[in-house]
Amino acid sequence: MPKVKAMTTGSVPSFLDVILNFAESDTTSTLALQDNWPSQLQRKTDGKHLVMYGDDTWLKLFPGMFARSDGTSSFFVSDFTEVDNNVTRHVPRELENKDWNGMIMHFLGLDHIGHKSGPSSPHMIPKQQEMDGVVRGIYEAMEFKAHLASTLLVLCGDHGMNDAGNHGGSADGETSTALVFISPVFRGISSGLTSPLIAPPGNFAYYSTVEQSDIAPTLAGLLGVPVPLNNLGVFIPQILELWPKGTAQLDLLYQNAKQVLKIAKATFQSVPFVERPKPEVCAETEDDGVILWCLWADARALYVDDAASYSVRIETLYKFLRHAQNVVSGTASNYDVGKLYYGIVAAAISTSLAVSSVYLERTLSLSTAVWCGFVAFAHGALMFASSFVEEEHLFWYWVGSAWLTWLYGVG
């Protein structure tokens, strides 16, 4: 869910989003009241609709938005087949329909294979080949069906996985995902890149890298809808080449910068962004807010300067946008670590008092007390596993079986 939020709103997911992601029945994390490109696309007055097939997280985030949908639970990770067939079976019919302007397909099979047996699983390559077939079928329809001639296919992952098939950490494999914009229209701007490439050593930076939040403003520009209000994403440079070089590209990027500036103003309220900073202030400062102020002043001045080099004007806007993205994203994820430690200490004290009270009352036998302590410790330790929520039933299965064996076999 946090990654879907980043891709649709352009905003930075919070710690609360991660917690709510585990609550399968949760409905408080809806994006219905937040500005996002699916909502903007739905509001376009062209008489068309949105459709969605796959991970039912989309149905919880965007309730009532899709005219047709078929959601599947992402928590039954043993299913590698039906969870994707339930998406693919709708694709041929939808490619014939002309009443939608956006179709979301969220396949789960690759994710499930990773969780169950890791990225080197023998199931992985056949599943990737299956996904290749789905992409090939959609692209061929885009080439030969007139009503799909200007369709854009965005192929991406919401997260990666580590060598064990899990995710949620900061390893390259977990934070690096594929992103491809596919359309016959792109033939005019394609740079003729070689594919496939040999994996770079140590990371997954095959061609170029962007932030996940950059998808939101880029799609907004391509779909002709406003950039989401809380977006921190930056328009992807390669896609900017679709517009004629000159005023069109500058205006698009400047609108992106003005929208990000609003968030920067709210973050650094003491900085007078409307004024022109003195040169000595910009030369000497190390304050993030003042640096953004100086970068914005340069970008705004060059934007209205027709005599300035086009490439310099574009580069200056991108410099402001990238720095604003890094700085404001960082402030959005800053937490008071001291208070977190206080919470851990308070929880430890509470647990100790609870255990002490049981011991003093002598209501449990020694073996029962030891067993309960072991279960509590093991369960708490396993909470640090990134995918424990998906396999918690296995823990209780083995704990329950062992306890019953002890009661009826040994006891």
Side-chain angles (χ1 to χ4, degrees), residues 210-224:
V210 299
E211 296 294 329
Q212 217 159 26
S213 57
D214 295 346
I215 295 175
T218 304
L219 281 181
L222 290 170
L223 298 173

Side-chain angles (χ1 to χ4, degrees), residues 247-263:
T247 304
Q249 293 186 4
L250 279 170
D251 288 347
L252 191 63
L253 207 56
Y254 186 69
Q255 292 304 315
N256 187 184
K258 283 177 63 178
Q259 179 271 323
V260 172
L261 177 67
K262 294 179 181 178
I263 304 178

Side-chain angles (χ1 to χ4, degrees), residues 298-319:
D298 291 342
R300 182 177 56 183
L302 287 171
Y303 172 72
V304 298
D305 185 2
D306 293 335
S309 165
Y310 166 77
S311 60
V312 172
R313 296 161 78 184
I314 288 289
E315 181 182 349
T316 306
L317 282 168
Y318 267 120
K319 189 175 181 180

Side-chain angles (χ1 to χ4, degrees), residues 44 46 51 97 103 115 209 216 277-278 304 346 349 353 369 395 404:
K44 289 188 71 172
D46 56 3
V51 296
N97 291 335
M103 176 167 63
H115 281 303
T209 58
K278 296 179 180 180
V304 298
I349 293 174
L353 291 174
F395 173 81
L404 290 173

Side-chain angles (χ1 to χ4, degrees), residues 32 54 145 236 266 284 305 364 381 391:
K145 296 183 184 296
I236 298 175
E284 299 173 359
D305 185 2
L364 297 177
E391 306 291 347

Side-chain angles (χ1 to χ4, degrees), residues 232-360:
L232 283 175
V234 179
F235 203 97
I236 298 175
Q238 293 90 332
I239 306 299
L240 192 64
E241 297 300 319
L242 277 175
W243 280 262
K245 185 172 291 186
T247 304
Q249 293 186 4
L250 279 170
D251 288 347
L252 191 63
L253 207 56
Y254 186 69
Q255 292 304 315
N256 187 184
K258 283 177 63 178
Q259 179 271 323
V260 172
L261 177 67
K262 294 179 181 178
I263 304 178
K265 286 181 177 179
T267 304
F268 303 100
Q269 298 184 13
S270 61
V271 178
F273 283 95
V274 294
E275 301 175 9
R276 177 75 183 180
K278 296 179 180 180
E280 58 270 20
V281 173
C282 297
E284 299 173 359
T285 186
E286 294 183 359
D287 181 86
D288 287 329
V290 177
I291 293 174
L292 280 180
W293 178 25
C294 297
L295 291 174
W296 168 247
D298 291 342
R300 182 177 56 183
L302 287 171
Y303 172 72
V304 298
D305 185 2
D306 293 335
S309 165
Y310 166 77
S311 60
V312 172
R313 296 161 78 184
I314 288 289
E315 181 182 349
T316 306
L317 282 168
Y318 267 120
K319 189 175 181 180
F320 164 75
L321 281 165
R322 288 299 182 198
H323 194 74
Q325 183 183 56
N326 292 335
V327 170
V328 180
S329 297
T331 59
S333 58
N334 284 340
Y335 300 103
D336 191 332
V337 178
K339 291 182 179 179
L340 293 178
Y341 285 132
Y342 289 145
I344 293 173
V345 171
I349 293 174
S350 300
T351 303
S352 300
L353 291 174
V355 172
S356 300
S357 64
V358 172
Y359 177 78
L360 292 173

Side-chain angles (χ1 to χ4, degrees), residues 65-384:
M65 180 173 294
F66 302 105
R68 293 185 297 275
S69 63
D70 192 356
T72 54
S73 172
S74 61
F75 285 88
F76 186 53
V77 295
S78 298
D79 179 11
F80 303 164
T81 306
E82 294 304 320
V83 72
D84 286 343
N85 290 346
N86 202 49
V87 180
T88 307
R89 67 190 180 93
H90 295 284
V91 174
R93 185 186 73 251
E94 291 295 356
L95 292 177
E96 297 294 334
N97 291 335
K98 301 179 181 180
D99 64 341
W100 54 267
N101 57 5
M103 176 167 63
I104 294 168
M105 296 166 286
H106 193 143
F107 292 88
L108 291 165
L110 282 170
D111 178 65
H112 289 185
I113 292 171
H115 281 303
K116 293 297 291 184
S117 48
S120 300
S121 166
H123 300 286
M124 188 63 75
I125 292 180
K127 176 58 70 172
Q128 290 172 331
Q129 292 171 339
E130 176 188 335
M131 294 296 100
D132 284 348
V134 173
V135 173
R136 184 183 301 109
I138 295 174
Y139 185 76
E140 289 175 352
M142 292 161 59
E143 283 189 304
F144 298 110
K145 296 183 184 296
H147 68 285
L148 298 176
S150 60
T151 299
L152 168 68
L153 172 62
V154 180
L155 177 65
C156 64
D158 55 343
H159 59 74
M161 64 180 68
N162 58 22
D163 291 340
N166 297 323
H167 53 87
S170 58
D172 285 334
E174 297 170 81
T175 59
S176 301
T177 61
L179 173 63
V180 188
F181 285 73
I182 304 171
S183 175
V185 178
F186 289 159
R187 289 197 183 101
I189 65 171
S190 174
S191 55
L193 298 174
T194 302
S195 176
L197 289 181
I198 298 175
N203 59 55
F204 295 85
Y206 285 89
Y207 299 106
S208 60
T209 58
V210 299
E211 296 294 329
Q212 217 159 26
S213 57
D214 295 346
I215 295 175
T218 304
L219 281 181
L222 290 170
L223 298 173
V225 299
V227 176
L229 184 64
N230 294 318
N231 165 71
L232 283 175
V234 179
F235 203 97
I236 298 175
Q238 293 90 332
I239 306 299
L240 192 64
E241 297 300 319
L242 277 175
W243 280 262
K245 185 172 291 186
T247 304
Q249 293 186 4
L250 279 170
D251 288 347
L252 191 63
L253 207 56
Y254 186 69
Q255 292 304 315
N256 187 184
K258 283 177 63 178
Q259 179 271 323
V260 172
L261 177 67
K262 294 179 181 178
I263 304 178
K265 286 181 177 179
T267 304
F268 303 100
Q269 298 184 13
S270 61
V271 178
F273 283 95
V274 294
E275 301 175 9
R276 177 75 183 180
K278 296 179 180 180
E280 58 270 20
V281 173
C282 297
E284 299 173 359
T285 186
E286 294 183 359
D287 181 86
D288 287 329
V290 177
I291 293 174
L292 280 180
W293 178 25
C294 297
L295 291 174
W296 168 247
D298 291 342
R300 182 177 56 183
L302 287 171
Y303 172 72
V304 298
D305 185 2
D306 293 335
S309 165
Y310 166 77
S311 60
V312 172
R313 296 161 78 184
I314 288 289
E315 181 182 349
T316 306
L317 282 168
Y318 267 120
K319 189 175 181 180
F320 164 75
L321 281 165
R322 288 299 182 198
H323 194 74
Q325 183 183 56
N326 292 335
V327 170
V328 180
S329 297
T331 59
S333 58
N334 284 340
Y335 300 103
D336 191 332
V337 178
K339 291 182 179 179
L340 293 178
Y341 285 132
Y342 289 145
I344 293 173
V345 171
I349 293 174
S350 300
T351 303
S352 300
L353 291 174
V355 172
S356 300
S357 64
V358 172
Y359 177 78
L360 292 173
E361 290 293 331
R362 305 284 187 176
T363 55
L364 297 177
S365 66
L366 179 60
S367 60
T368 302
V370 170
W371 178 256
C372 291
F374 167 75
V375 171
F377 175 80
H379 188 261
L382 288 173
M383 284 295 180
F384 290 94

Side-chain angles (χ1 to χ4, degrees), residues 11-51:
S11 60
V12 180
S14 67
F15 181 74
L16 181 61
D17 293 322
V18 179
I19 298 299
L20 293 176
N21 186 51
F22 294 136
E24 190 172 9
S25 59
D26 172 69
T27 57
T28 61
S29 55
T30 174
L31 296 179
L33 300 179
Q34 296 188 39
D35 194 13
N36 53 78
W37 62 260
S39 298
Q40 295 280 9
L41 189 60
Q42 185 195 39
R43 286 194 288 267
K44 289 188 71 172
T45 55
D46 56 3
K48 295 188 177 182
H49 312 286
L50 294 177
V51 296

